[in-house]
Amino acid sequence: MLTLLNLLSAVALLVWGTHIVRTGIMRVYGADLRRVLSRSIEKKPMAFLAGIGVTTLVQSSNATTLLVTSFVAQNLVSLTPALVVILGADVGTAIMARILTFDLSWLSPLFIFFGVVFFLSRKQTRAGQLGRASIGLGLILLALQLIVEAARPITQAAGVQVLFSSLTGDVMLDALLGAVFAIISYSSLAAVLITATLTATGVISFKVALCLVIGANLGSGLLAMINASGSNAAGKRVALGSLLFKLIGCVFILPFVDIVAEWLG
């Protein structure tokens, strides 16, 4: 019970960190946000790079999607560049999944410490709001670490290991489980890190891990739809586009997962 509570609290911390980053960025740019964004992502390559950069910064494609959805809902960004940004965010998640295999635990307290210093000392200034965003970044990093740590006892339980050992070849079932992972952890990146832990400990095979990762990507699209449920029509179109991108990717790659697993393995 305590393990489950730890997992839920870590997910809640991730949600809160995402909220702080989003509100901090909105307060920093304010009325100039539309002009800044239109200049930076008016070209598709720049929009794609912006998606990678933002996701690398906030450690979550879900957070990037939330940001972009809120911008579109407020008519700050049009639909097409927003979707390109989301594609870049997916690539950014893949990059961060690789980077986070290294020990970056020192970054979280650093972001939080300097964020608190700037926020409390210059609360009403732009630097103070950047400090607020820095606190959110630190909380996101911390939450991702806590989610992986909280999930480890669950994945090491005998019953759960038996469950995972039964995942031997049904790609649809494996992908569905990956999507559930992403939704429960509120982050496809966290789901990928958990999957990496399971693979490293020999609980699941590499092929199953690939299916789980593909499903986690789809789960992030479902999360975007859930988060956009209270948005206006423009915001919902962004979330739907994100989900369609991920669904097309799943349909395209799942039939060839055996070939991919053999090639990468």
Side-chain angles (χ1 to χ4, degrees), residues 11 19 31-32 76 100-101 127 132 167 176 198 208 222 234 260 262:
V11 171
H19 171 75
D32 296 330
L76 298 175
L100 288 176
T101 57
R132 177 189 177 93
L167 301 175
L176 179 61
L198 293 172
V208 172
L222 294 172
V260 175
E262 183 177 350

Side-chain angles (χ1 to χ4, degrees), residues 8 17 27 36 56 58 69 79 86 105 114 125 176 182 207 210 216 220 229 261 263:
L8 292 175
R27 291 179 183 181
V36 172
T56 302
V58 302
T69 300
L79 180 61
I86 291 175
S105 57
F114 284 106
T125 66
L176 179 61
K207 175 188 172 182
L210 283 178
S220 67
S229 59
W263 178 57

Side-chain angles (χ1 to χ4, degrees), residues 90-231:
D90 291 337
V91 176
T93 297
I95 294 173
M96 287 312 303
R98 183 66 186 93
I99 292 175
L100 288 176
T101 57
F102 304 106
D103 184 14
L104 298 177
S105 57
W106 57 274
L107 276 177
S108 175
L110 196 64
F111 275 130
I112 294 174
F113 174 76
F114 284 106
V116 169
V117 169
F118 277 98
F119 181 67
L120 293 181
S121 62
R122 305 181 181 183
K123 187 177 296 186
Q124 303 303 323
T125 66
R126 176 167 291 194
Q129 294 306 317
L130 284 174
R132 177 189 177 93
S134 177
I135 294 172
L137 289 175
L139 292 179
I140 289 173
L141 273 173
L142 178 61
L144 288 172
Q145 297 171 29
L146 292 176
I147 288 172
V148 174
E149 290 298 322
R152 185 170 287 121
I154 298 176
T155 57
Q156 291 176 348
V160 176
Q161 290 192 356
V162 170
L163 173 64
F164 280 120
S165 65
S166 65
L167 301 175
T168 56
D170 191 334
V171 294
M172 293 301 296
L173 177 61
D174 297 348
L176 179 61
L177 186 58
V180 172
F181 269 3
I183 293 173
I184 291 176
S185 61
Y186 200 73
S187 169
S188 59
L189 180 56
V192 170
L193 294 176
I194 293 172
T195 301
T197 301
L198 293 172
T199 309
T201 55
V203 176
I204 59 176
S205 66
F206 183 59
K207 175 188 172 182
V208 172
L210 283 178
C211 294
L212 290 174
V213 169
I214 293 169
N217 187 50
L218 179 61
S220 67
L222 294 172
L223 272 174
M225 288 295 297
I226 295 172
N227 291 326
S229 59
S231 183

